[in-house]
Amino acid sequence: MKVETRNIGRALADAGGWRAILLYGEDSGLIRERAAQSVRQVAETLDDPFRVAQLERDTQDRLEDEATALSLIGGRRAVWVRDGQDSLAPLLTRTLETQTDTLIVIEAPGLSSRSKLRALAESRKDVASIACYPEEGRALSQTVTDALSQAGVSIDRDALTWLMGRLGTDRSGVRGEIEKLVLYAGANGRLDLDAVQDCVGDAGGSSLEGAVFAALSGNRSEADQALERALADGANPVAVARAVLGVLVRLQKVALGVESGQGRAEAMKALKPPVFFKRAAAFNQALDRWNADALARAMRETQAFELACKQSGTPDMALCRRHIASLCGIWKA
């Protein structure tokens, strides 16, 4: 059964009511978080080998055996499958034919809309098919405020606005920044703008944003190094595209302001959130190289790059590196 976005929270809260849960999409951090939540709902733990069986791609042929095994210490079991692919569909079909109270949780990032595994999950009423895509805008803001509130921490509006401009799109990175903020604020603490800037600094994808600014400033070696760090930290090509687009949009706003007669400093001050002080020099260097027309062209190319990354079978990592390299070589028209 395909679970609508508005019903995902309810479906995960009752994870034990499903035979299996399929988690797919672009946000690997969110997939992992929801998988862990589901496993914990049933097995009460993530690392008890008697109640949780974790299957990597090379051990997925054990799915049926693990799903039908009995717990030696009592309680329900969960089978946690990583990197699920369409080849898993026949085995899952056969496993679901056997009655058992074991919950099967499948992490399957990157499945296409024509995926056999997705089609199977969506055709069965006892299997939840849940999309996991990067949160943005109001949804991301709500996630942050809810997580802080659960920890007894409040945040000022201007601090939240600034933070939203710095956070990446990958759920694991967002959670990491939230944990830092909670530790910084302490029990029943309050976060103002200064506190968030001191704690987060230029985090939330600092290597990723660093790669973008290095590329836009024409520094190929620095851009390549920062990009590789960001990819190693879990950033995906779609996140790279959105980071590039976010920077280009802000640069274009300033460039258009300057063309209409504003001073550059005045136009930069008008940005919300403001340019982070550690990025001010790089921001100005990028403006020196790019005018509004060139930025508009780069935005179109970046949107095309993101669309290409979402096509099944596309070499998205190669496209990602090529796009960053291309930005290093484009000069003001």
Side-chain angles (χ1 to χ4, degrees):
M1 177 185 296
K2 185 175 183 178
V3 179
E4 299 295 331
T5 301
R6 65 180 180 274
N7 297 324
I8 289 176
R10 190 184 313 157
L12 293 174
D14 187 31
W18 303 97
R19 291 288 310 281
I21 296 176
L22 174 67
L23 300 160
Y24 66 90
E26 299 167 359
D27 193 332
S28 57
L30 182 55
I31 289 174
R32 180 60 51 87
E33 180 180 314
R34 287 174 171 172
Q37 177 186 345
S38 302
V39 170
R40 194 180 284 111
Q41 280 276 342
V42 167
E44 302 173 349
T45 181
L46 299 179
D47 52 11
D48 184 340
F50 294 105
R51 298 190 63 182
V52 180
Q54 298 192 23
L55 303 181
E56 304 294 340
R57 182 182 287 193
D58 58 348
T59 58
Q60 289 175 9
D61 56 351
R62 290 168 33 204
L63 175 62
E64 189 172 8
D65 292 338
E66 292 289 355
T68 56
L70 298 176
S71 172
L72 299 179
I73 59 174
R76 290 185 64 184
R77 298 181 70 251
V79 179
W80 190 349
V81 182
R82 305 280 177 79
D83 195 21
Q85 304 291 326
D86 277 348
S87 57
L88 191 64
L91 184 56
L92 179 61
T93 299
R94 191 164 65 248
T95 301
L96 291 173
E97 291 173 353
T98 303
Q99 290 302 314
T100 171
D101 66 353
T102 297
L103 172 66
I104 301 169
V105 179
I106 303 172
E107 294 184 19
L111 291 183
S112 71
S113 59
R114 296 186 294 275
S115 161
K116 294 179 181 178
L117 190 57
R118 279 180 59 178
L120 169 62
E122 292 170 8
S123 69
R124 295 189 58 111
K125 293 183 178 180
D126 55 354
V127 178
S129 178
I130 299 177
C132 302
Y133 295 109
E135 290 182 322
E136 297 177 308
R138 184 176 299 178
L140 179 58
S141 177
Q142 191 64 51
T143 292
V144 172
T145 53
D146 287 349
L148 291 174
S149 178
Q150 290 172 9
V153 174
S154 59
I155 184 169
D156 292 348
R157 181 175 296 179
D158 58 344
L160 180 61
T161 299
W162 184 91
L163 181 62
M164 290 302 99
R166 295 297 178 276
L167 288 178
T169 56
D170 183 76
R171 185 63 163 237
S172 59
V174 171
R175 283 295 180 186
E177 295 308 320
I178 291 173
E179 290 170 5
K180 284 185 1 185
L181 289 167
V182 169
L183 288 172
Y184 186 94
N188 301 313
R190 185 172 189 84
L191 294 164
D192 58 17
L193 180 58
D194 289 339
V196 173
Q197 289 180 340
D198 286 343
C199 178
V200 175
D202 192 30
S206 60
S207 295
L208 187 49
E209 192 172 79
V212 176
F213 274 109
L216 294 173
S217 300
N219 190 330
R220 175 69 183 273
S221 61
E222 183 180 334
D224 288 345
Q225 291 173 9
L227 177 63
E228 294 307 318
R229 286 197 299 271
L231 294 175
D233 288 340
N236 59 51
V238 171
V240 173
R242 292 180 180 176
V244 171
L245 196 59
V247 173
L248 291 174
V249 167
R250 285 165 62 79
L251 287 168
Q252 190 187 49
K253 285 181 180 179
V254 175
L256 290 172
V258 171
E259 289 184 3
S260 67
Q262 275 186 305
R264 181 183 289 187
E266 180 186 0
M268 286 176 64
K269 269 186 188 178
L271 289 175
K272 301 294 181 184
V275 177
F276 186 54
F277 72 94
K278 291 185 179 179
R279 289 290 185 219
F283 199 96
N284 275 294
Q285 287 175 358
L287 286 170
D288 290 338
R289 296 183 74 238
W290 298 77
N291 62 20
D293 289 340
L295 289 166
R297 186 173 71 251
M299 288 165 64
R300 291 193 296 270
E301 292 176 356
T302 301
Q303 289 169 335
F305 155 58
E306 179 178 348
L307 181 62
C309 287
K310 294 178 179 179
Q311 305 304 309
S312 178
T314 297
D316 53 356
M317 287 296 186
L319 289 178
C320 179
R321 294 182 174 96
R322 187 175 70 182
H323 188 67
I324 290 296
S326 72
L327 293 175
C328 295
I330 299 176
W331 287 79
K332 182 184 292 188

